[in-house]
Amino acid sequence: MKKRVFSGIQPTGNIHIGNYLGAIRHWASSQDQYENIFCIVDLHAITVAQDPKELSMKTREVAGLLFAAGIDPRRSAVFVQSHVGAHSELAWILNCFIPIGWMNRMTQYKEKSEKQKEQVSVGLFDYPALMAADILLYETDQVPVGEDQKQHVELTRDIAQRFNSIYGAVFKLPEPVIPDVGARIMGLDDPSKKMSKSDANPGHAVNLLDSTDAIRSKIMKATTDSKREICFDEKRPGIYNLLVIYELFSKMSRKEITARFEGKGYAQFKNELAEAIIEGLRPLQLRYRELTADPHYLDSLLAEGSARVKPVAEKTLSAVQKAIGLVPPI
Ligand code: AMP
Ligand code: TRP
């Protein structure tokens, strides 16, 4: 039996080469090894204010990018969270079993709510309960997440354990997996910050759907240093980050790269880097355009995804309902 892996992705911001190199391409290449479920978490996105048009556009964009990056709808399930009602239903039930003190400890809520002040919604506070529901509905074995989400997966385990201790073994306990991506891609404008989907500076990230001109201009403007030598030196974070991106796109070894740019200047390296990214993203961008040329096609793939996962989610939800004594409808 393959292990089941559940990943959630918010349909907000712009998916960038950090997401691609650090996550999406690994998801695509691990499809034979794991049973992958990818959930586009639109209900999580609305825990902060969203423009309705933008939200629906981004939901389809993320889906299109996942398929374009090689996620195969025959092997993996890609679906939209709000299309499977069991997520919201289980989140409500879990709410009634989560001690409020556990929720009060969530550091992401503390950080986000400090930024938003009085605009904070109850949904933002409850975000981890919905995330627990996402994971627990599918008898998930592994949840690949970044460091920042580990606390939420641990909370999910605590919730599952608490529920199971009252009602018997209803939920499977998931494991958080912090993937060893080999690369943490840093911001082009500031190599001390992780490349992020929500950074407002347009020069911060190369996004997967950027035009060739945009890619060239962002790379040429990327922050480096005043030295000359082009070598993999972590103490020089700007040039190091660019070299790592080059390494991952060109698939050359560090030795080959160092030899190739020996005695050459930053401008030439940046030119070649931009071309390597453009070439690397070209097949993905082409497939994205093909896929999204007919929006009904993309929607039909998403419908297949939710049809595939719904029976699993509904089975878990009924087991929970039965355990707590809700009378089943006839
Ligand atoms: P996020 O953009 O935070 O929703 O992350 C989605 C996925 O992309 C997660 O698996 C992250 O670990 C990965 N990821 C996000 N940003 C980076 C980055 N700068 N470098 C490498 N991986 C990243
Ligand atoms: N909270 C996650 C993030 O912001 C997204 C997410 C929602 C998720 N539900 C999930 C991730 C379930 C893993 C499993 O990145």
Side-chain angles (χ1 to χ4, degrees):
M1 278 283 276
K2 286 188 203 166
K3 292 225 159 141
R4 187 173 284 160
V5 178
F6 185 99
S7 309
I9 312 128
Q10 292 210 41
T12 51
N14 289 309
I15 308 242
H16 50 70
I17 54 172
N19 295 128
Y20 178 69
L21 298 172
I24 301 175
R25 77 192 171 116
H26 299 293
W27 295 340
S29 64
S30 69
Q31 291 179 99
D32 287 327
Q33 208 178 336
Y34 298 106
E35 187 192 338
N36 283 322
I37 303 182
F38 300 102
C39 180
I40 304 171
V41 294
D42 53 350
L43 297 174
H44 277 109
I46 61 163
T47 55
V48 298
Q50 298 293 340
D51 174 73
K53 274 211 188 86
E54 175 87 4
L55 179 63
S56 53
M57 190 194 88
K58 285 284 170 191
T59 301
R60 290 198 174 95
E61 185 182 291
V62 172
L65 282 171
L66 290 177
F67 292 126
I71 306 288
D72 174 359
R74 281 163 306 183
R75 285 181 290 166
S76 304
V78 177
F79 75 103
V80 177
Q81 188 183 32
S82 63
H83 294 183
V84 179
H87 290 247
S88 307
E89 290 183 58
L90 181 60
W92 174 258
I93 294 173
L94 295 181
N95 274 332
C96 302
F97 289 87
I98 306 172
I100 205 152
W102 292 7
M103 296 288 274
N104 279 330
R105 289 205 295 269
M106 294 298 113
T107 53
Q108 184 168 71
Y109 173 74
K110 285 186 211 163
E111 283 162 22
K112 286 194 185 173
S113 59
E114 261 162 40
K115 280 190 215 141
Q116 293 181 49
K117 306 252 158 49
E118 63 273 23
Q119 302 298 324
V120 178
S121 69
V122 176
L124 188 70
F125 182 69
D126 202 33
Y127 182 115
L130 180 59
M131 182 160 162
D134 296 342
I135 296 167
L136 296 176
L137 278 174
Y138 299 100
E139 300 175 336
T140 300
D141 295 296
Q142 295 185 357
V143 188
V145 282
E147 245 343 293
D148 62 322
Q149 295 297 315
K150 199 171 164 213
Q151 194 186 31
H152 292 159
V153 183
E154 278 158 2
L155 176 78
T156 303
R157 283 176 67 89
D158 292 342
I159 297 167
Q161 259 164 335
R162 182 180 161 93
F163 192 95
N164 288 354
S165 73
I166 309 173
Y167 298 107
V170 176
F171 292 127
K172 182 163 195 172
L173 298 191
E175 300 280 349
V177 182
I178 311 288
D180 179 15
V181 297
R184 203 168 116 94
I185 306 299
M186 310 307 280
L188 300 176
D189 54 341
D190 177 358
S192 68
K193 279 200 309 199
K194 193 176 136 181
M195 189 177 279
S196 140
K197 278 202 300 204
S198 52
D199 197 286
N201 183 349
H204 173 74
V206 170
N207 300 318
L208 296 190
L209 294 174
D210 275 350
S211 68
T212 52
D213 285 349
I215 296 174
R216 284 193 192 106
S217 131
K218 288 177 181 183
I219 295 298
M220 294 320 281
K221 286 190 205 129
T223 303
T224 49
D225 53 40
S226 54
K227 303 222 170 68
R228 298 188 67 105
E229 208 192 341
I230 298 174
C231 60
F232 285 84
D233 177 358
E234 289 189 52
K235 286 195 245 40
R236 293 166 57 199
I239 193 75
Y240 180 77
N241 185 43
L242 297 181
L243 280 163
V244 168
I245 298 172
Y246 187 82
E247 178 189 12
L248 295 171
F249 275 109
S250 71
K251 304 194 176 74
M252 286 163 67
S253 71
R254 292 192 171 191
K255 215 170 135 200
E256 287 167 328
I257 295 169
T258 316
R260 183 184 183 99
F261 294 107
E262 206 189 324
K264 308 231 167 93
Y266 283 176
Q268 178 160 0
F269 166 62
K270 282 179 160 183
N271 265 318
E272 291 200 30
L273 171 61
E275 295 315 308
I277 298 173
I278 290 166
E279 280 313 305
L281 293 182
R282 195 189 305 280
L284 184 151
Q285 293 193 346
L286 271 174
R287 252 176 279 146
Y288 180 83
R289 275 187 219 110
E290 282 164 16
L291 267 163
T292 50
D294 174 5
H296 297 294
Y297 178 60
L298 188 63
D299 285 354
S300 75
L301 292 180
L302 288 172
E304 263 174 51
S306 49
R308 165 125 48 125
V309 299
K310 245 183 197 163
V312 185
E314 279 166 5
K315 185 165 159 248
T316 306
L317 180 63
S318 344
V320 171
Q321 289 166 329
K322 189 163 162 234
I324 63 177
L326 303 185
V327 174
I330 48 160

